[in-house]
Amino acid sequence: MEFSAQQIAGFLNGTIEGDPNVKVSNFSKIEEGKPGTLTFLANLKYAHHIYNTEASIVLVNNDFKPEQPIRATLVKVENAYAALAMLLNLVEQSKSKKKGVDSTAFIAASATVSDDCYVGNFAYIGEGVIMGKNCMVYPHAYIGDHVTVGDNCVFYPHATVYENCTIGNNCIFHAGSVIGADGFGFAPEGETYKKIPQLGNVIIEDDVEIGANTTIDRAVMDSTIIRRGVKLDNLVQIAHNVEVGENTVMAAQVGIAGSVKIGKHCMFGGQVGLAGHIHVTDHVSFGAQAGVISDVKEATTLLGAPAINAKNFMRSSAIFNRLPDIYRSLGQMQREIEQLKKEINKQ
């Protein structure tokens, strides 16, 4: 598909600086721009690339002011990054979508699957499943017994949903994600461990996206809950009876231990770990590899392990780098003090 700068500006409610008739048919990074492509500038760290890019159209923020001539046509918008997302979604929606039920797929007789759903090769839909409109179940995906699925959900290959889980509308489950596996529950019995049955389920609300190979464990009792708008990256582990608040996002390899309660609009960097049974309030940000062992009661940014206030962590890091010098200075001071004591005692 091909779009002109005029069409793109109209769709985004933007303004044009340059040729309104120039056309693009693909996207590119600003530093690797090619003729006939659209790129964007949201981070001024990359601003120097805009003067040399070969891309035909560049999305920029309204307040961007070039310091030298630019060959590309500029489309100015309120938020270049958000505008790019809108265009990418437009292209995604224009793609032809798979339809129908493959002859090798299994759908239990007691399952209810809307006629407009796609079910691919060797996909499995169990007893009593209720699946809403316009869902896509790719090859080898597994939807266990008595799972309820809303409208417009996508299950990529080998996504697995265990029995009795509930999924809202507009959710995406990437390849290898596992929803509703047993939580890690074992009771010590002498020198062995006895499995504690995990009898609860997982509830996933609307507009949630789950990354590849991410796992969300079912509750011991009641439910593990992923609230509306949550986005989880690849390789995230959510343990049993956790609750993740609305619009919280987690980068890869985050690990949340059992019975943690996380508020709304929190942000987790990669490899953050939370100890069990703690509570995190709304609007908390965790830097990469933060280790959290106690409740977080105020909206803040935390770094380090154990995690502390980000500013204090930066100050501590600066001191840490100087510890060898400080240690040598302390050793020198101690030797000087000992020498002074000897001299005083001689008098």
Side-chain angles (χ1 to χ4, degrees), residues 31 64 84 88 90 98 117-118 134 173 180 218 231 258 293 337:
E31 64 269 31
F64 174 72
L84 177 71
L88 291 171
L90 178 65
K98 294 179 179 291
C117 290
Y118 161 69
N134 197 35
F173 301 86
R218 71 194 309 108
K231 314 297 181 189
I293 59 175
I337 290 171

Side-chain angles (χ1 to χ4, degrees), residues 203-320:
I203 296 174
I204 295 179
E205 296 186 346
D206 298 347
D207 305 310
V208 171
E209 183 160 353
I210 308 297
N213 294 317
T214 282
T215 57
I216 303 173
D217 291 344
R218 71 194 309 108
V220 181
M221 295 173 280
D222 299 321
S223 301
T224 300
I225 303 175
I226 310 298
R227 296 292 184 190
R228 178 189 303 269
V230 167
K231 314 297 181 189
L232 304 182
D233 196 1
N234 304 331
L235 296 166
V236 171
Q237 157 66 13
I238 305 293
H240 54 197
N241 292 93
V242 168
E243 181 175 341
V244 180
E246 292 181 9
N247 298 305
T248 284
V249 294
M250 298 184 186
Q253 299 183 359
V254 167
I256 309 297
S259 300
V260 169
K261 307 299 180 188
I262 299 169
K264 304 175 183 177
H265 303 283
C266 293
M267 301 178 69
F268 290 71
Q271 296 186 335
V272 171
L274 267 61
H277 301 274
I278 66 174
H279 288 219
V280 175
T281 192
D282 302 341
H283 297 283
V284 178
S285 295
F286 300 92
Q289 296 189 326
V292 186
I293 59 175
S294 59
D295 291 352
V296 183
K297 299 179 180 179
E298 297 180 356
T300 185
T301 299
L302 300 176
L303 292 171
I308 59 174
N309 176 272
K311 290 182 179 179
N312 290 338
F313 177 85
M314 294 299 184
R315 295 189 186 102
S316 299
S317 295
I319 294 171
F320 183 82

Side-chain angles (χ1 to χ4, degrees), residues 65-211:
K65 296 180 180 179
E67 298 176 352
Q68 53 184 287
I70 298 173
R71 287 173 291 179
T73 293
L74 302 184
V75 175
K76 289 193 164 186
V77 292
E78 185 67 27
N79 183 322
Y81 195 60
L84 177 71
M86 291 176 63
L87 291 178
L88 291 171
N89 280 320
L90 178 65
V91 172
E92 179 69 19
Q93 291 167 11
S94 69
K95 292 180 180 178
S96 60
K97 294 186 177 180
K98 294 179 179 291
K99 296 181 180 179
V101 177
D102 189 88
S103 60
T104 62
F106 174 82
I107 301 178
S110 61
T112 302
V113 179
S114 296
D115 293 337
D116 57 0
C117 290
Y118 161 69
V119 184
N121 303 59
F122 302 103
Y124 179 96
I125 297 178
E127 298 287 346
V129 169
I130 299 175
M131 184 170 292
K133 300 176 183 177
N134 197 35
C135 291
M136 303 186 74
V137 184
Y138 279 82
H140 297 280
Y142 174 93
I143 313 296
D145 296 346
H146 305 293
V147 169
T148 300
V149 180
D151 300 336
N152 307 310
C153 292
V154 180
F155 301 86
Y156 283 106
H158 297 285
T160 298
V161 183
Y162 282 53
E163 69 276 3
N164 298 317
C165 292
T166 300
I167 294 166
N169 302 311
N170 311 313
C171 294
I172 299 173
F173 301 86
H174 287 281
S177 55
V178 179
I179 311 302
D182 281 358
F184 192 67
F186 299 90
E189 199 171 75
E191 295 184 351
T192 62
Y193 291 89
K194 186 173 182 179
K195 183 176 178 63
I196 299 172
Q198 308 289 290
L199 303 180
N201 71 345
V202 175
I203 296 174
I204 295 179
E205 296 186 346
D206 298 347
D207 305 310
V208 171
E209 183 160 353
I210 308 297

